[in-house]
Amino acid sequence: SDVGAHRRLPSRHRFFADLSQCLFDFVIELLPTSEEMAVKENVRKLLERLIRTIEPDSRLLSFGSTANGFSLRNSDMDLCCLIDSEERLSATDLVTMLGDLLERETKFHVKPLPHARIPIVKLSLDPSPGLPLGIACDIGFENRLALENTRLLMCYAMIDPTRVRTMVLFLKVWSKRRKINSPYKGTLSSYGYVLLVIYFLVHVKNPPVLPNLQQMPPLRPITKEDTHLAGYNTWFFDDIELLRTRWHSENNESVAELLIDFYRYYARDFSYNTGVASIRAGLLKKSSKGWQNDLTSRYHDSRERNRLCIEDPFELDFNVGRCVTKDGIYTIRGEFMRASRILSNRPERAVVALAELCL
Ligand code: ATP
Ligand code: MG
């Protein structure tokens, strides 16, 4: 009977508590082990030593997930080489020379891409007993903006580690399992998904779960020289210790409630046709950025470019979602709808719902 069916549904409250617990348990299993992190740090040091034989004044720094707190087991390493001297080789020459050196001196498979838009050296190591899944690594040069956006994401993760990290890590696994995390195939990068989560927690949730670090008043006067990089303003409030004492979110929703709401928002409410998600400035208009899909254009390319618009936090003229195609956005949005449907049915067992979600 209806009454019986009603009784079988767990209460909202119990379902959210169960699902939140399942999400924590699920994500914890997928974190990199301390051995993996130690191996990666050793690889970084080894590569840094080798690069210094070519450019003595260089440093090799980690960015992306290995440095921002959103890393999953066996995720690849993003490394950036900074050179502190005035006279230096071009990125193209460095990539070629470093490629040769690594080929001679290490066991890595080496693939230099000196003529790519951003020249990089791609490295990989085959699985071995100590490294059962091998390792993949990209080395780029002078990508200082990437180091800064990594630091920004890390600061957001540190403000509310439990809720932010759990949501982001779960969405990364989910998007990989559902095959919607491949910019080369017309879907969205991990970086793009992280920006969607932060946008949602800063600008959609009311009260917000996170403050807007780029719009907080600075503690002391700042000059343009301190804060600008390659012509872009990279300032943000980064004193997280201080922030923890000064900023408390009024929003007490559980991870489960936030995740369900995240899926619903991107399934139904976000204005894909006209809107731009900006973690810096909230919801913007495509027209105000010159990012409307130009359906009359002769160029196939510009028609595809701005289906999903996510403003980079610092490079404001750069759409992080520019790789997402018409098919890609259709698939991604379909996945948001599917996830939203599975979770809002409030199935009897949260763990079953999660398994179905990532099937
Ligand atoms: P994964 O664990 O899936 O590799 P990740 O956190 O390393 O995730 P990536 O998408 O690989 O995320 O991006 C790594 C870093 O590269 C980002 O932190 C960002 O600094 C930079 N990056 C990646 N994609 C873009 C992009 N489209 N625009 C600007 N920067 C990007
Ligand atoms: Mg990465």
Side-chain angles (χ1 to χ4, degrees):
S1 74
D2 278 0
V3 178
H6 181 74
R7 241 191 245 119
R8 276 199 308 278
L9 280 179
S11 75
R12 269 171 69 80
H13 185 77
R14 227 202 56 219
F15 177 68
F16 292 148
D18 283 355
L19 181 60
S20 295
Q21 190 60 49
C22 285
L23 285 165
F24 298 135
D25 296 345
F26 184 87
V27 159
I28 284 204
E29 287 295 309
L30 299 164
L31 294 178
T33 59
S34 50
E35 291 80 24
E36 180 181 331
M37 295 200 286
V39 168
K40 286 183 168 166
E41 178 55 15
N42 284 335
V43 167
R44 188 196 64 75
K45 284 191 187 136
L46 166 85
L47 294 170
E48 188 175 61
R49 266 205 310 280
L50 288 168
I51 293 180
R52 283 182 176 166
T53 65
I54 305 177
E55 274 286 4
D57 295 321
S58 58
R59 289 174 289 157
L60 194 61
L61 305 175
S62 242
F63 69 101
S65 61
T66 22
N68 65 21
F70 297 133
S71 155
L72 295 168
R73 202 163 284 194
N74 192 42
S75 62
D76 53 5
M77 278 175 95
D78 302 296
L79 296 172
C80 168
C81 178
L82 295 184
I83 300 156
D84 297 318
S85 70
E86 291 294 307
E87 275 174 50
R88 54 170 179 253
L89 296 163
S90 71
T92 302
D93 290 343
L94 260 169
V95 161
T96 308
M97 288 176 68
L98 184 61
D100 290 346
L101 178 72
L102 294 173
E103 195 111 54
R104 279 199 314 275
E105 301 286 329
T106 69
K107 287 185 296 202
F108 284 102
H109 300 289
V110 183
K111 187 173 177 197
L113 300 172
H115 303 293
R117 188 176 64 90
I118 299 173
I120 56 168
V121 182
K122 284 180 118 22
L123 298 178
S124 61
L125 214 49
D126 286 332
S128 62
L131 249 181
L133 293 164
I135 211 167
C137 163
D138 292 349
I139 307 178
F141 295 86
E142 289 297 322
N143 196 356
R144 291 177 197 254
L145 283 167
L147 294 170
E148 287 306 302
N149 68 42
T150 295
R151 220 164 57 78
L152 176 66
L153 301 191
M154 185 191 69
C155 285
Y156 275 120
M158 283 164 62
I159 295 170
D160 190 337
T162 313
R163 291 190 290 181
V164 177
R165 214 169 269 160
T166 306
M167 275 184 86
V168 165
L169 291 174
F170 179 76
L171 285 162
K172 274 174 73 166
V173 181
W174 168 80
S175 65
K176 287 176 203 286
R177 298 238 179 116
R178 300 301 301 169
K179 301 193 164 52
I180 50 171
N181 179 233
S182 311
Y184 300 109
K185 292 183 192 153
T187 58
L188 188 61
S189 65
S190 296
Y191 181 58
Y193 284 103
V194 179
L195 293 177
L196 289 183
V197 174
I198 293 172
Y199 172 80
F200 173 77
L201 297 177
V202 174
H203 296 284
V204 179
K205 285 314 299 185
N206 188 14
V209 173
L210 293 172
N212 184 339
L213 294 178
Q214 292 175 276
Q215 305 289 352
M216 295 187 62
L219 292 172
R220 48 196 105 68
I222 45 175
T223 64
K224 214 175 166 197
E225 292 78 70
D226 299 341
T227 58
H228 279 61
L229 206 56
Y232 298 107
N233 180 3
T234 59
W235 186 85
F236 63 94
F237 192 98
D238 63 354
D239 191 337
I240 299 305
E241 280 313 306
L242 187 69
L243 198 71
R244 279 202 229 233
T245 65
R246 283 207 188 164
W247 198 83
H248 291 283
S249 174
E250 304 283 309
N251 187 312
N252 295 315
E253 287 172 63
S254 62
V255 178
E257 285 171 277
L258 292 172
L259 183 72
I260 292 171
D261 213 25
F262 172 92
Y263 281 133
R264 187 171 34 220
Y265 176 75
Y266 287 107
R268 281 199 333 214
D269 302 327
F270 181 71
S271 43
Y272 290 90
N273 286 334
T274 57
V276 177
S278 162
I279 69 168
R280 174 192 62 96
L283 182 66
L284 301 176
K285 287 252 172 277
K286 286 186 188 178
S287 55
S288 76
K289 301 197 61 92
W291 285 355
Q292 50 276 64
N293 321 318
D294 184 359
L295 295 173
T296 60
S297 167
R298 287 176 294 139
Y299 302 105
H300 176 73
D301 211 23
S302 63
R303 203 175 356 155
E304 288 286 17
R305 196 168 306 275
N306 295 319
R307 295 280 172 179
L308 174 58
C309 291
I310 305 169
E311 181 189 69
D312 186 84
F314 304 129
E315 269 180 279
L316 305 186
D317 45 7
F318 184 72
N319 175 12
V320 173
R322 79 200 178 294
C323 294
V324 178
T325 57
K326 186 179 178 208
D327 282 354
I329 194 65
Y330 183 81
T331 311
I332 291 171
R333 217 173 153 180
E335 288 295 334
F336 286 142
M337 288 174 194
R338 172 180 178 275
S340 181
R341 184 171 43 172
I342 290 173
L343 293 180
S344 45
N345 283 342
R346 253 191 281 149
E348 186 85 37
R349 298 189 52 220
V351 66
V352 176
L354 276 197
E356 187 184 350
L357 206 56
C358 292
L359 215 60

